[in-house]
């Protein structure tokens, strides 16, 4: 009997229960989907790293001997060590794209992943080419490609297309913000293919299972001493740290997004079950009089929340797992290059479903227990009307001057606080998601303009090959009226004794390089001073007044400076100074880039010393093309915001309409026209929407700040929400709210006056 009663009441209250179902469904869809995606992302990368034996430690030096390799392998905790030679070169193709070339002696650590062709073999001629680069350049196995590096030039047959665990995400240089695969790439060759004696400048090391990589690193640093050799861990690889930050960001979003939907579901259950049990007071008394136990009646009402939340949670979890990871992976494949992406169901998903159902059961129990406490005789009698107290506004002089509609709405709000709170939460969630969506788009667009418009104000960047003399670079600078800049790697000493690498930017006289302080106000670097980037200062836990120790890679002597100016930059995290400051430290200024506003011919890339030319306008356009992932994310947030707003406000509108039927009928009896009553209802809606928007705007911006803060240490994005975006978020929220209320208020003219007023007899 109670089962039939439950089914009948589910149909009678289908709108309210469907909204609860939908909120639980969407909350678990987003949580389990993002959880499966973030856990799968972690598993995909970790499996790839493990299978290809990504090096856990990296050594960078001018020259590494066979004796060095043997000594490193003998260190406790080292499993294998391999020397190799890495050099930047160019491929003789259209545009002379830059190529990172790795000459390998062995293949035990950081093993390339074969996409097609022959497996890599040491001692064999040929080239194993970046598969993504080959796809963009229409190159296939069996084709030949000519490479140029330094004064050398060699032509090799492509024997295989590969991916590489060290190149899951890679940029052309420190000035790039987003990858543009195809404009540059990497290749692997056997050391025997190198023309002449090979100068090994890198070593990759794997550690034994269970060994502490940082302890092994310390022992290696003791071996090399202070000869300028740099020992780095995986976090010195931009691909590793960027991917790690990506799946940590997604894991954080998996907890933040669904919270709004699940809160709405809980409030929906609370309001719906409270109203249902209050309206069925005499039914509950009848059931008690017929002999139904308190426990059985409680179980009956609790089952509403249980079944609705269970079906919604399981359905959302299943669809989230089945669809959302693949959707997200489709966007991420443009940025992160790994063989395959997998989905993983973590324990968090099972816990989330159980927690959602348990919460719904508890809320249902607390909502109905008040009516179940009384004895059958008391429950069979209608509940006496509660005593209403005047609030502070009603006791104030302002109350007498308020319009009737305002008084009526104020009393309705204060007497139905839970319903009003639920409406505000829905509006807050809608507005918050819209602000975050538009803010993400604004922040990405601003990053390009910030980097290539405010910090770098030139039209072209001319990049030079490593080792190019100052005299040669200065001739180009003089010919094109450019500013010379040196960008080189430096090593920092962290407070815990570990080391971290970054970028040193040394600017010569000119007006194309600019710096902005923490408030994003232009702040030039003074002579004799050293500035540190915001993200690097955070990584080193450096505050103004602290001492920071650094040295150029390959140098033995440590330098120091006291933190003063902290500047913001989206990429190239490290330190910056003027040329005269750098030379005062007894270093030679070796410019690597010339910035100019004059047009630079594409044919310049054929010069032996020119590594490449970057057109700032084309780089901005490249960022716009790479905005697809962000556009998809914005679309998801906008759809989620609209669904949240429509469902919550529609549910509350129906609930409010049912609860206020008698009051609305009374107003019609008193002579209020239908249009006037709809205006009164719309007025309350505007109040609640306005209050929700006022809370949603700062919360949306705070949400955006959290997303920006989860970027990797190599990237810095300033949260930006423009006035048009705020206006669209406010207008969108109001539009959803007003339209829903407008559609629901049409029911006013269809009220059955006799039925509505019968309860007051």
């Amino acid at each position: 009997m109670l089962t039939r009663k439950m089914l009948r009441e589910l149909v009678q209250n289908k709108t309210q229960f469907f909204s609860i179902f939908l909120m639980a469904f969407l909350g678990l869809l987003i949580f389990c989907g993002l959880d499966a995606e973030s856990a799968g992302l972690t598993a995909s990368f970790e499996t790839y790293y493990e299978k290809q034996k990504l090096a856990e430690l990296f050594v960078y030096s001018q020259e590494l001997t066979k004796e060095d390799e043997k000594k490193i392998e003998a260190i406790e905790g080292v499993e294998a060590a391999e020397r190799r030679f890495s050099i930047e070169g160019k491929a003789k193709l259209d545009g002379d794209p830059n190529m990172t070339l790795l000459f390998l002696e062995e293949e035990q650590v950081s093993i390339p992943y074969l996409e097609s062709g022959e497996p890599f073999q040491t001692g064999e001629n040929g080239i194993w080419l970046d598969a993504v680069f080959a796809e963009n350049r229409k190159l296939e196995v069996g084709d030949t490609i000519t490479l140029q590096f330094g004064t050398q030039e060699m032509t090799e047959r492509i024997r295989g297309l590969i991916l590489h665990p060290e190149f899951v995400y890679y940029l052309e240089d420190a000035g790039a913000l987003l990858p543009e695969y195809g404009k540059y790439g990497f290749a692997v060759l056997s050391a025997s293919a190198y023309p002449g004696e090979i100068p090994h400048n890198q070593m990759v090391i794997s550690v034994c299972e269970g060994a502490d990589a940082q302890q092994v690193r310390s022992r290696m640093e003791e071996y090399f001493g202070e000869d300028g050799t740099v020992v780095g861990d995986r976090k010195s690889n931009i691909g590793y740290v960027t991917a790690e930050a990506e799946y940590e960001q997604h894991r954080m979003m998996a907890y933040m997004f669904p919270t709004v939907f699940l809160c709405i579901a809980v409030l929906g259950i609370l309001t719906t079950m409270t109203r249902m049990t209050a309206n069925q007071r005499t039914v509950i008394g009848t059931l008690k009089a017929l002999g139904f136990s308190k426990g059985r009646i409680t179980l009956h009402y609790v089952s509403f929340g249980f079944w609705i939340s269970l079906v919604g949670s399981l359905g959302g979890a299943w669809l989230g797992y089945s669809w959302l990871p693949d959707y997200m992976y489709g966007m991420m494949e443009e940025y992160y290059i790994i063989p395959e992406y997998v989905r993983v169901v973590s324990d968090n998903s099972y816990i989330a479903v159980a927690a959602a159902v348990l919460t719904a059961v508890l809320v249902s129990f607390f909502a109905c227990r008040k009516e179940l406490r009384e004895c059958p005789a008391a429950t069979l009698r209608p509940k006496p009307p509660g005593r209403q107290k005047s609030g502070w506004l009603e006791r104030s002089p302002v109350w007498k001057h308020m319009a009737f509609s305002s008084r009526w709405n104020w009393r309705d709000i204060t007497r139905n606080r839970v319903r009003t709170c639920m409406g505000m939460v829905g509006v807050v969630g809608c507005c918050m998601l819209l602000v975050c969506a538009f803010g993400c788009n604004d922040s990405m667009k601003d990053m390009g303009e910030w980097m290539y418009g405010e910090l770098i104000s030139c039209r072209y960047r001319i990049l030079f090959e490593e080792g190019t003399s100052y005299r040669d670079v200065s001739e180009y600078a003089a010919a094109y009226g450019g500013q010379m800049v040196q960008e080189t790697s430096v090593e920092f000493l962290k407070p815990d004794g570990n080391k971290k690498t970054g970028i040193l930017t040394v600017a010569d006289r000119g007006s194309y390089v600019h710096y902005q302080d923490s408030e994003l106000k232009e702040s030039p670097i003074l002579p004799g001073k050293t500035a540190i980037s915001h993200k690097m200062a955070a990584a080193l836990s450096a505050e103004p007044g602290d001492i920071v120790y650094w040295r150029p890679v390959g140098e033995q002597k440590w330098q120091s400076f006291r933190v003063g100016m902290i500047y913001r930059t989206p990429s190239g995290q490290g330190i910056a100074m003027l040329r005269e400051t750098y030379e005062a430290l007894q270093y030679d200024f070796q410019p690597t880039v010339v910035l100019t506003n004059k047009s630079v011919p594409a044919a310049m890339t054929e010069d032996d010393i020119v590594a490449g030319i970057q057109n700032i306008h084309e780089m901005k356009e490249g960022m716009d093309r790479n905005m697809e992932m962000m556009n998809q994310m914005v679309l998801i947030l906008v759809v989620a915001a609209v669904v949240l707003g429509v469902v919550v406000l529609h549910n509350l509108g129906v609930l409010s309409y049912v609860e206020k039927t008698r009051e609305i009928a009374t107003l019609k009896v008193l002579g209020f026209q239908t249009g006037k009553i709809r205006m009164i209802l719309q007025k309350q809606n505007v109040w609640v929407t306005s209050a929700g928007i006022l809370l949603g705007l700062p919360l949306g911006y705070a949400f955006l700040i959290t997303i920006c803060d989860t970027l990797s240490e190599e990237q810095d994005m300033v949260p930006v929400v423009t006035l048009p975006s705020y206006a669209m978020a406010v207008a969108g929220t109001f539009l959803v709210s007003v339209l829903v209320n407008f559609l629901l208020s049409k029911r006013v003219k269809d009220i059955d006056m006799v039925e509505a007023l019968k309860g007051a007899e």
Side-chain angles (χ1 to χ4, degrees), residues 288-487:
K288 286 182 176 182
L290 291 174
F292 286 88
S293 67
K294 180 180 177 182
R296 190 172 178 188
I297 299 174
T298 302
L299 183 63
H300 166 68
Y301 284 101
V302 164
S303 62
F304 284 92
F306 173 79
W307 289 111
I308 294 296
S309 61
L310 180 64
V311 175
S313 298
L314 290 178
W318 174 80
L319 185 60
Y321 171 78
S322 303
W323 166 73
L324 193 55
D326 290 339
Y327 180 80
M328 297 292 292
Y329 291 158
M331 296 184 288
M332 295 184 62
E333 287 172 350
E334 300 295 322
Y335 296 88
Y336 299 96
I337 313 300
I338 60 176
E340 64 174 344
Y341 290 86
V342 299
R343 291 172 293 182
V344 174
V345 180
S346 73
D347 293 339
N348 293 333
S349 295
Y350 296 109
I351 294 172
V353 172
V357 174
L358 180 61
T359 302
V361 168
L362 290 174
V363 171
S364 299
F365 171 74
F366 286 115
C368 68
R369 68 172 185 167
K370 183 178 180 181
E371 303 295 341
L372 294 171
R373 279 201 300 254
E374 299 181 15
C375 64
T379 312
L380 283 169
R381 290 193 297 269
K383 186 177 181 180
R387 184 179 179 183
Q388 301 296 334
K389 295 181 179 179
S390 298
W392 62 270
L393 184 60
E394 294 165 297
R395 295 192 300 269
S396 69
V398 177
W399 183 257
K400 297 179 181 179
H401 301 285
M402 291 174 62
F404 169 78
S405 59
S406 299
R407 296 185 188 184
W408 190 84
N409 281 318
W410 176 259
R411 282 179 171 162
D412 185 61
I413 288 173
T414 55
R415 292 172 185 178
N416 297 277
R417 293 185 179 88
V418 175
R419 190 185 70 208
T420 303
C421 179
M422 183 178 172
M424 285 190 61
V425 170
V427 173
V428 167
C430 178
C431 184
M432 180 184 75
L433 293 178
L434 288 176
V435 170
C436 186
F438 298 139
C440 285
N441 192 55
D442 290 340
S443 299
M444 284 296 293
K445 288 182 178 179
D446 179 77
M447 182 184 283
E449 182 59 35
W450 181 32
M451 181 71 180
Y452 302 128
E454 298 179 17
L455 301 183
I456 299 176
S457 58
C458 62
R459 293 171 55 206
Y460 292 91
R461 298 177 81 239
I462 306 173
L463 312 179
F464 293 90
E465 297 285 359
E466 185 178 354
T468 303
S469 68
Y470 169 79
R471 178 179 177 181
D472 290 337
V473 176
S474 62
E475 289 177 357
Y476 280 84
Y480 288 92
Q483 179 180 7
M484 295 184 290
V485 177
Q486 177 180 348
E487 295 176 342

Side-chain angles (χ1 to χ4, degrees), residues 230-278:
V230 175
V231 181
D233 56 16
R234 286 181 174 179
K235 290 191 175 181
S236 63
N237 179 275
I238 185 174
Y240 181 86
V241 295
T242 305
E244 187 178 49
E246 185 76 35
Y247 46 75
E248 286 298 328
Q249 183 184 68
H250 289 206
R251 185 176 293 115
M252 176 217 52
M253 291 169 62
Y255 286 94
M256 294 184 67
F257 279 121
T259 302
V260 178
F261 293 94
L262 294 177
C263 284
I264 294 296
V266 168
L267 288 172
I269 292 172
L270 180 62
T271 54
T272 302
M273 294 307 300
T274 301
R275 184 180 65 84
M276 178 185 290
T277 53

Side-chain angles (χ1 to χ4, degrees), residues 304 317 359 546 584 606 699:
F304 284 92
T359 302
D546 293 346
E606 298 178 2
L699 286 177

Side-chain angles (χ1 to χ4, degrees), residues 151-186:
T151 59
Q152 305 288 340
E153 188 172 294
M154 58 191 297
T155 301
E156 295 286 348
R157 183 173 68 90
I158 300 174
R159 298 186 60 179
L161 301 180
I162 61 170
L163 306 180
H164 200 285
E166 295 176 25
F167 291 87
V168 296
Y169 177 97
Y170 53 103
L171 304 173
E172 186 173 12
D173 73 331
L177 294 179
L178 292 174
E180 291 187 79
Y181 303 127
K183 286 190 172 183
Y184 53 92
F186 66 88

Side-chain angles (χ1 to χ4, degrees), residues 138-154:
K138 311 299 182 186
L139 297 171
E140 298 178 351
V141 175
D143 294 345
T144 58
I145 184 171
T146 300
L147 303 172
Q148 180 182 1
F149 49 94
T151 59
Q152 305 288 340
E153 188 172 294
M154 58 191 297

